[in-house]
């Protein structure tokens, strides 16, 4: 139901919380509706990010920016796949 709901909200920007960090991306839970999806590491365009296991974070190579558990970020729906039951998000920016 979450995936079906989010299909109708592709143009909206949502505030979410990073709920998981892996070597291939971050999981984000939208605060407003509790839907969870993934932002793939290769899709974060403001820097080249690598996974830091010790900090459980993604670290920017140039900016040394950290994306870690509990951080609030803005995302948009990139893909809502009903067959795979997966949500993919675009990373917009961090909450200021």
């Amino acid at each position: 139901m979450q995936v079906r709901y989010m299909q109708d909200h592709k143009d909206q920007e949502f505030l979410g919380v990073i709920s998981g960090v892996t070597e291939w991306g971050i999981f984000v839970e939208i605060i407003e509706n509790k839907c969870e999806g993934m932002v793939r590491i290769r899709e974060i365009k403001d820097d080249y990010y690598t996974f830091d296991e010790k900090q459980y974070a993604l670290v920017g190579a140039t900016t040394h920016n950290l994306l870690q558990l509990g951080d609030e970020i803005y995302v948009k729906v990139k893909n809502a796949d009903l067959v795979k039951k997966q949500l993919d998000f675009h990373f917009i920016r961090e909450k200021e």
Side-chain angles (χ1 to χ4, degrees):
M1 293 308 286
Q2 290 181 8
V3 177
R4 185 182 309 265
Y5 172 78
M6 293 305 286
Q7 282 182 321
D8 298 330
H9 298 280
K10 284 193 176 182
D11 293 330
Q12 282 182 262
E13 200 171 282
F14 294 97
L15 178 62
V17 175
I18 296 176
S19 58
V21 183
T22 68
E23 63 269 7
W24 59 86
I26 53 177
F27 289 96
V28 179
E29 181 180 288
I30 295 172
I31 293 170
E32 176 184 322
N33 57 28
K34 304 296 183 203
C35 292
E36 188 174 48
M38 173 173 251
V39 176
R40 301 204 184 276
I41 196 169
R42 67 179 177 265
E43 309 258 334
I44 306 173
K45 304 294 185 192
D46 69 335
D47 200 346
Y48 177 79
Y49 286 87
T50 55
F51 178 60
D52 183 334
E53 238 179 295
K54 291 181 182 174
Q55 295 185 69
Y56 206 61
L58 298 184
V59 182
T62 305
T63 61
H64 302 289
N65 188 32
L66 285 178
L67 295 173
Q68 57 192 2
L69 283 178
D71 286 354
E72 292 186 342
I73 64 171
Y74 287 95
V75 295
K76 276 189 179 180
V77 177
K78 175 186 175 196
N79 187 33
D81 190 327
L82 279 171
V83 176
K84 293 181 182 177
K85 298 178 183 159
Q86 291 179 340
L87 283 172
D88 291 315
F89 295 138
H90 283 295
F91 173 78
I92 306 297
R93 68 182 183 286
E94 289 183 77
K95 184 178 177 187
E96 297 170 2

